[in-house]
Structures are given as structure tokens and as C-alpha cells.
Amino acid sequence: MDTALRELHEETGIAASRDDVVGVLDDFPASRGIVITPVVVLLDGPQRPRRHPAEVASLHPLPLGVLTAPGVPRWQPQPAGGSLLQMPLRRDMVVHAPTGAILWQFAEVVLRGHELRVAELTEPAFTAR
């Protein structure tokens, strides 16, 4: 948890403490051999995020309603079988696992109050670089 809070501050400039943590989502075993543990924080007031250019390519603030909009998530059939999770967040933005899986679980568990597991979702081949 301390690592997540430190990275949140280093990468986005958002300051949160252990008191701001409301929970964690499921670990997501990413294809690059790492395990991502999403930590959910709830802040008392607004903070303006700013990316650390050496660590973050871009930040994309989105209204929470985008995560529960019709058509989110959607599933793309794959030539080899199965389906790939897609989270269309804007007209010009579609994210996949692991980020898409984490956002989908957040939407279901936190925003809708449902249970959902996402660790079995696969990442598209282009994320394994």
C-alpha cells in the first residue's frame, strides 16, 4: 500500500495517505511477469494531477460514468478463439487488460456493488512488450 501511494504521488502528483485508502482490487498477473495490486483511494478534495514525464506518457481524467456507460465493456472476438476485453472510454481511446481489466473491476465492484474477478483475462499481444 505504501508503494502504491508513493507511486501515485511520484507519477501523478496526487497526494494520498493510508487514511484515504478505501480498499484494494484483485491482483492482476500481467504478462510481463509483474503482479499489479490496484489500490483504491477516496480523496477529501480535488487535486490537480500532473504527470511525471519520465514515468507517465499521458494522463486521461474521465468522469466515472464513462466506466458504466452502455457498451462498456465490449468484447472483441479473436481469430484464435476467445474474446478480448475492450474498454472504450472516449471516441479515440480504447484500453485493454491490464488497465482495462482493472477499470472494469473498479466499475463493477465500487460503482455497481457487484462481484467480479478479472485475473483470468488475457492481455492483447501488443501489451507484452
Side-chain angles (χ1 to χ4, degrees):
M1 194 171 313
D2 291 333
T3 301
L5 295 172
R6 183 187 71 243
E7 291 297 313
L8 175 67
H9 187 256
E10 286 177 7
E11 294 179 6
T12 69
I14 294 175
S17 71
R18 281 182 162 261
D19 292 337
D20 298 317
V21 174
V22 294
V24 296
L25 299 175
D26 289 347
D27 288 347
F28 189 91
S31 64
R32 296 175 302 271
I34 62 170
V35 175
I36 301 167
T37 303
V39 176
V40 180
V41 300
L42 181 62
L43 302 173
D44 285 332
Q47 294 187 36
R48 185 177 181 140
R50 63 187 187 299
R51 72 178 181 91
H52 186 291
E55 296 195 35
V56 178
S58 59
L59 292 175
H60 303 276
L62 297 166
L64 291 177
V66 168
L67 300 176
T68 57
V72 179
R74 69 182 182 206
W75 299 92
Q76 181 67 40
Q78 297 299 290
S83 295
L84 183 64
L85 167 72
Q86 295 185 326
M87 296 289 286
L89 302 179
R90 292 193 315 230
R91 180 184 53 76
D92 60 344
M93 178 190 292
V94 176
V95 295
H96 305 84
T99 303
I102 293 165
L103 291 174
W104 183 34
Q105 188 179 42
F106 175 83
E108 290 299 313
V109 173
V110 178
L111 302 179
R112 290 190 166 125
H114 300 158
E115 186 173 326
L116 176 71
R117 300 287 181 244
V118 296
E120 75 285 350
L121 294 176
T122 57
E123 300 171 60
F126 62 80
T127 66
R129 295 180 196 153

